[in-house]
Amino acid sequence: MTTPVITFWFEFASTYSYPAAMRMGALAKAKGVSVEWRPLLLGPIFAAQGWKDSPFNLYPIKGRYMVRDLERICASLDLPFALPDRFPQNSLLCARIAAAVEGPLRERFAQAVYQLQFGEGRDISDPLTAAEALRRAGLDAALVEKAQTDAVKQKLRASTEEAQAAGVFGAPSFVAGDGEIFWGNDRLEHALEWALKGHL
Amino acid sequence: MTTPVITFWFEFASTYSYPAAMRMGALAKAKGVSVEWRPLLLGPIFAAQGWKDSPFNLYPIKGRYMVRDLERICASLDLPFALPDRFPQNSLLCARIAAAVEGPLRERFAQAVYQLQFGEGRDISDPLTAAEALRRAGLDAALVEKAQTDAVKQKLRASTEEAQAAGVFGAPSFVAGDGEIFWGNDRLEHALEWALKGHL
């Protein structure tokens, strides 16, 4: 029997991607599902839906609710939570680095970025924060510079287009091997169930 | 010790209110939480957020996803699911009837309306469907007419304003005794936990 696979589409500016990124590893391992971590940029995807800003800013009442909801969820998971002063943040720098890093180190880098941003309130558009995330993941901090090549930029653009073509409209999203899409941290268990059984 | 209470704000046009309405009774009973069922109209609440239509129509890709998501959720709960041809539906008639019915019969009427709409694909703006929901709930079908008084209209308007003042911006929403708000069928368990313990 082949190992079931899900694709985990994440965006560093996405709050709910934080608990998903922190929960994913252990849950997928327990279920025997293999995870492909893929960075994307929500900017072009939101623009295609007619949004020029984050839903947090477009709908302030809903935005405040989502911050509170996330705070509760993180508390229940014993995850630190500190919303950065500037929010949502510009995630481009870290998304390019994630696109440049392959294999299991991408997961470690992504978790370090989320931890810095939503666990410690740091600004991930700052190259010093990105370098710190690389160090925490056991990677070379020089990747902050080295990831800014045309090839990496193009790779990230292509990833975002691939996600969009698969039907992804938000983050986090999980796509099972048969193309079934699940959106949101609260659908992570559903996605893993589906990857295993083809139904919930 | 007093029984913990949550307020369940529902809108008949809201898809995710359907599984919430069907799950609520047994889950709340198992936890020992008392539930106050309150109808509201999302129209004025969405308008205050700048939406002139349902999110299902404003964002078609997300709308299609939500239908699929709901289909999966209903299948996993063994709930029938049949999206009506015209969707979202005009819920005003049934919302007024729900406002006119007090006590446990309101829950039974609400469940009958959801069952007819999302389980059987019926048009709940049709007085014949509303009468059928009343009959299934053991109520007098004449309430279809009798609920269209100024007093009931005003009661429903006041309910919607009360929900809005409590911070409700969508449906289903659950408000714990201390004012903590939870939004969405997938937060029902959280809301009951919170009502019991004051944390997740």
Side-chain angles (χ1 to χ4, degrees), chain A residues 103-171:
Chain A
L105 289 171
R106 183 183 280 171
E107 173 175 353
R108 285 167 61 185
F109 172 71
Q111 289 189 323
V113 172
Y114 283 117
Q115 164 71 27
L116 282 158
Q117 184 183 199
F118 294 119
E120 301 169 34
R122 299 272 293 273
D123 177 3
I124 61 163
S125 68
D126 183 339
L128 293 174
T129 311
E132 172 66 18
L134 283 163
R135 274 190 295 268
R136 290 188 187 182
L139 284 154
D140 183 356
L143 262 170
V144 175
E145 291 295 329
K146 286 185 187 157
Q148 310 306 314
T149 65
D150 283 344
V152 171
K153 290 174 189 177
Q154 180 47 36
K155 190 178 175 187
L156 180 59
R157 266 195 298 268
S159 282
T160 300
E161 283 162 15
E162 186 185 331
Q164 217 165 354
V168 168
F169 57 90

Side-chain angles (χ1 to χ4, degrees), chain A residues 16 49 51 59 61-62 65 68-69 72-73 76 167 169 180-183 186-187 190 194 200, chain B residues 16 49 51 59 61-62 65 68-69 72-73 76 167 169 180-183 186-187 190 194 200:
Chain A
Y16 286 106
Q49 294 175 72
W51 297 343
Y59 310 113
I61 297 172
K62 191 171 169 180
Y65 167 79
R68 177 65 180 143
D69 186 47
R72 291 187 304 232
I73 289 168
S76 77
F169 57 90
E180 192 78 16
I181 300 177
F182 297 83
W183 170 57
D186 41 30
R187 296 296 187 278
H190 286 188
W194 194 279
L200 296 188
Chain B
Y16 286 106
Q49 294 175 71
W51 297 343
Y59 311 113
I61 297 172
K62 191 171 169 180
Y65 167 79
R68 177 66 179 143
D69 185 48
R72 290 187 304 233
I73 288 168
S76 77
F169 58 90
E180 192 78 16
I181 299 177
F182 297 83
W183 170 56
D186 42 30
R187 296 295 186 279
H190 285 188
W194 195 279
L200 297 189

Side-chain angles (χ1 to χ4, degrees), chain B residues 12-37:
Chain B
F12 284 121
S14 151
T15 48
Y16 286 106
S17 293
Y18 168 47
M22 297 312 198
R23 301 196 306 130
M24 178 60 94
L27 283 177
K29 197 176 169 189
K31 292 273 185 192
V33 174
S34 169
V35 184
E36 197 186 352
W37 289 62

Side-chain angles (χ1 to χ4, degrees), chain B residues 32-66:
Chain B
V33 174
S34 169
V35 184
E36 197 186 352
W37 289 62
R38 300 286 302 276
L40 59 73
L41 293 176
L42 280 180
I45 291 176
F46 281 177
Q49 294 175 71
W51 297 343
K52 293 187 178 74
D53 197 352
S54 155
F56 278 79
N57 295 333
L58 290 171
Y59 311 113
I61 297 172
K62 191 171 169 180
R64 280 193 296 276
Y65 167 79
M66 290 194 289

